[in-house]
Amino acid sequence: MVSRNLMILCCLVVAVVAKPTYTDKYDNIDLEEFKENKRLLLAYVDCILDKGKCTAEGKALKDNLLDATETGCEKCTEKQKEGSYEMIEHLIKNEPEIWNELCAKYDPTGKWRKEYEEKAKAKGIKIPQKISTK
């Protein structure tokens, strides 16, 4: 009886402590393809900025992007966190106009932008000046 109750208690603790994560369905997308193919990158950017059509993957990204930004990616899988930082660093370094547009929409106060740019700077990535969108 004690071991059964202990097992039930352990299951409850695991259920309460386990944090929900975003689906890992798209965790194996090849990010190099996005970094090397500007047309593909722009299609996803247009989707998440409400400028174009969305694929299923783009819609999933768009649906979770604001929450992920506001929570510091706390529901992200480890693979998603790694991929997010990889793409953020790529955008900061190589596509500052896109980075600025995404920040304007998903981080208008600049709270998370500062954190991500500091992480990039610590890795030796030069942070371009914010480009005015006026």
Side-chain angles (χ1 to χ4, degrees):
M1 180 80 152
V2 171
S3 64
R4 180 173 171 246
N5 288 341
L6 181 60
M7 181 181 271
I8 291 171
L9 178 62
C10 287
C11 288
L12 287 173
V13 168
V14 168
V16 169
V17 172
K19 289 192 263 183
T21 59
Y22 304 123
T23 181
D24 63 357
K25 183 176 178 179
Y26 306 111
D27 279 11
N28 293 315
I29 288 177
D30 181 10
L31 297 179
E32 289 302 314
E33 187 175 359
F34 289 89
K35 294 191 296 188
E36 294 171 3
N37 184 337
K38 186 137 182 192
R39 183 185 59 77
L40 182 60
L41 175 64
L42 288 175
Y44 275 80
V45 169
D46 286 348
C47 163
I48 61 179
L49 290 175
D50 298 317
K51 294 180 178 181
K53 294 181 182 177
C54 294
T55 62
E57 297 92 346
K59 183 173 178 348
L61 176 62
K62 180 179 171 180
D63 289 347
N64 295 311
L65 192 57
L66 184 59
D67 182 65
T69 302
E70 291 177 347
T71 63
C73 216
E74 70 180 21
K75 295 180 192 171
C76 295
T77 65
E78 282 306 309
K79 182 99 171 176
Q80 290 164 354
K81 286 179 187 176
E82 291 168 12
S84 295
Y85 290 125
E86 181 180 335
M87 285 307 297
I88 287 169
E89 289 172 3
H90 172 77
L91 293 174
I92 290 170
K93 183 177 181 178
N94 301 299
E95 304 289 349
E97 298 86 6
I98 293 172
W99 173 243
N100 286 328
E101 278 189 90
L102 293 172
C103 287
K105 178 167 179 137
Y106 290 96
D107 185 24
T109 65
K111 176 182 176 184
W112 296 103
R113 177 188 188 121
K114 182 177 179 180
E115 180 179 321
Y116 294 128
E117 287 181 353
E118 287 299 318
K119 286 180 180 181
K121 189 186 267 184
K123 290 185 175 186
I125 296 173
K126 186 178 184 315
I127 309 301
Q129 292 296 322
K130 185 174 177 182
I131 298 169
S132 175
T133 55
K134 290 183 180 180

